[in-house]
Amino acid sequence: MNRKLIRPNFTEIKDKIKASEAAKQLQQQQQQQQQQQQQQPQQQPQQQQQPQQQQQQQPQQQPPQKKAHPPTDTFAENYYYLKQMSKKTPMAVVFHDGQVIEGYIEWYDRNCIKLNRDKGANLLIFKSNIKYMYKLNENKDGQEPEKTDKK
């Protein structure tokens, strides 16, 4: 069975960010409109009222609302993976046990990445097993970083 790999691109991520920002702005505008409506005096059908009744009918001021929490998903990880995939950047993946594997990222999803290698088999690596990743050829001198085994 052939399954089509669904992979987001830069425009999809940017659209999601814009949509969430637009929703926040719309929510803020609605809150401001509600506050303005509450502050405007309500027009009374009876124009003659006693002063005590007027004081009772004035809207009570509500405490200011708390600021909304920032979004939990920033799409930074998606952006980073897409950038490395499009350029086929040579990457080094370091596991929790200290093992280092080199290759470039072909695709990714929520739980794993596929690492293509020239000198070995292609690997499907779970993100939970990755300690950190870095780009190869990152040094200014053009030399590979020294690999140290911590044992």
Side-chain angles (χ1 to χ4, degrees):
M1 175 190 319
N2 290 337
R3 294 184 181 177
K4 184 179 178 183
L5 178 65
I6 300 172
R7 191 172 26 179
N9 58 22
F10 291 121
T11 55
E12 291 175 1
I13 293 172
K14 289 178 183 177
D15 290 342
K16 286 181 182 178
I17 293 171
K18 288 179 183 177
S20 65
E21 289 174 355
K24 286 180 187 177
Q25 289 178 354
L26 180 63
Q27 186 180 22
Q28 288 175 352
Q29 289 175 354
Q30 290 175 350
Q31 289 175 355
Q32 288 175 354
Q33 289 176 355
Q34 289 175 354
Q35 289 175 356
Q36 288 175 355
Q37 289 175 356
Q38 290 174 354
Q39 291 175 355
Q40 291 177 353
Q42 297 177 353
Q43 295 180 355
Q44 302 296 329
Q46 300 173 354
Q47 295 181 2
Q48 296 178 352
Q49 292 183 350
Q50 297 176 357
Q52 292 176 354
Q53 290 177 348
Q54 289 177 355
Q55 290 176 0
Q56 291 176 358
Q57 291 180 356
Q58 289 179 354
Q60 296 177 356
Q61 292 183 355
Q62 296 178 350
Q65 295 180 354
K66 294 182 181 178
K67 292 183 180 178
H69 293 288
T72 56
D73 198 1
T74 60
F75 306 106
E77 182 180 18
N78 295 343
Y79 182 79
Y80 181 78
Y81 284 134
L82 287 171
K83 186 175 178 183
Q84 304 315 320
M85 287 171 18
S86 64
K87 293 183 179 181
K88 293 191 176 184
T89 307
M91 302 287 291
V93 178
V94 180
F95 292 95
H96 289 289
D97 62 357
Q99 182 181 3
V100 179
I101 296 180
E102 298 176 357
Y104 65 92
I105 299 171
E106 183 178 342
W107 63 263
Y108 72 97
D109 65 6
R110 179 182 293 158
N111 300 319
C112 56
I113 62 172
K114 182 177 179 186
L115 195 71
N116 279 358
R117 302 188 302 168
D118 295 331
K119 298 180 182 176
N122 299 336
L123 300 173
L124 187 67
I125 302 171
F126 284 97
K127 291 181 182 177
S128 60
N129 295 331
I130 298 173
K131 187 175 184 179
Y132 62 91
M133 299 169 49
Y134 62 91
K135 297 179 191 178
L136 295 174
N137 306 329
E138 182 89 2
N139 290 350
K140 295 178 183 177
D141 302 335
Q143 300 174 356
E144 275 192 23
E146 294 182 15
K147 297 177 185 174
T148 58
D149 292 338
K150 296 180 181 179
K151 291 186 178 180

